[in-house]
Amino acid sequence: MKIYIIDQNGDLTLQNGRSIVVEFADGKSLELAGSPQPLPEGIPEGLHIWGGRIPYQTSEEVKTSQLDFKPVAANGMIVSPLPIKEADSGVTGMFIADDDGSLQPVKQNRVVIALDNGKTLEFMEHYAKSGLLVWGGREPDPQLPFEEVKQRTESLGLYLLAGNVVHVFPYKVE
């Protein structure tokens, strides 16, 4: 998995890190990371979204949250930790966690994760500040020709692992 930040011009810059941490106004968080163990056969490559932080062996206090999903299209959904308080559901920060757990802020609160199979997922704050927006492939851009939008967009699949963990993956139906 490779992590790219998106700047104001839409350019991608590769960053070192093991996961993405998203913090919300209500103090809750999400962590986006690769799968720590193999998934069942037939589940496509993707990444895990944790409600709270990943429970590492050294963690003493792990605060978890169940997850809420709102589809916005076949290739997009909003993910939020429960319970949702509309006034406090906005993203206050997005960070890249490195191997020692240090958090580096992402200025534009937009990242692209490139999976080992070449597929991508894009993450950003939802336009109405109601959670984290997840796109299969990349965010559809109406300024691009339709054929280019189709090439960079993929459907979004989910495989539930627990009340606070879901495996998200991009896929195309041929």
Side-chain angles (χ1 to χ4, degrees):
M1 163 177 115
K2 294 179 182 168
I3 300 170
Y4 296 90
I5 59 170
I6 304 172
D7 67 18
Q8 293 173 331
N9 301 321
D11 296 327
L12 301 177
T13 305
L14 181 62
Q15 302 293 302
N16 291 323
R18 70 164 189 230
S19 67
I20 304 295
V21 175
V22 181
E23 293 181 350
F24 292 84
D26 63 1
K28 292 183 177 69
S29 63
L30 299 175
E31 189 163 3
L32 319 163
S35 176
Q37 65 265 353
L39 292 167
E41 189 174 326
I43 302 299
E45 183 182 357
L47 59 88
H48 289 7
I49 299 177
W50 292 79
R53 298 290 305 273
I54 298 172
Y56 294 104
Q57 291 179 348
T58 58
S59 297
E60 293 181 19
E61 291 184 34
V62 177
K63 296 179 183 176
T64 61
S65 300
Q66 290 182 323
L67 298 172
D68 180 64
F69 307 97
K70 294 181 185 118
V72 296
N75 64 324
M77 70 175 174
I78 302 167
V79 180
S80 301
L82 289 173
I84 299 171
K85 296 178 184 170
E86 292 301 323
D88 295 329
S89 61
V91 172
T92 58
M94 189 177 285
F95 305 88
I96 297 174
D98 59 21
D99 289 333
D100 68 0
S102 298
L103 299 177
Q104 305 301 319
V106 175
K107 291 181 184 175
Q108 300 299 322
N109 283 348
R110 289 182 64 191
V111 296
V112 170
I113 305 269
L115 305 169
D116 292 339
N117 63 7
K119 294 180 179 281
T120 60
L121 293 162
E122 186 169 344
F123 300 90
M124 59 196 288
E125 182 174 24
H126 183 258
Y127 313 113
K129 302 192 182 307
S130 59
L132 183 69
L133 187 53
V134 181
W135 291 109
R138 297 290 307 277
E139 176 187 20
D141 184 346
Q143 296 176 358
L144 295 174
F146 182 67
E147 286 304 313
E148 190 172 337
V149 171
K150 278 180 29 180
Q151 286 180 340
R152 68 184 238 157
T153 303
E154 298 199 42
S155 295
L156 200 55
L158 300 174
Y159 182 75
L160 299 174
L161 298 168
N164 69 318
V165 185
V166 66
H167 180 73
V168 179
F169 55 91
Y171 69 94
K172 278 199 185 278
V173 177
E174 299 298 329

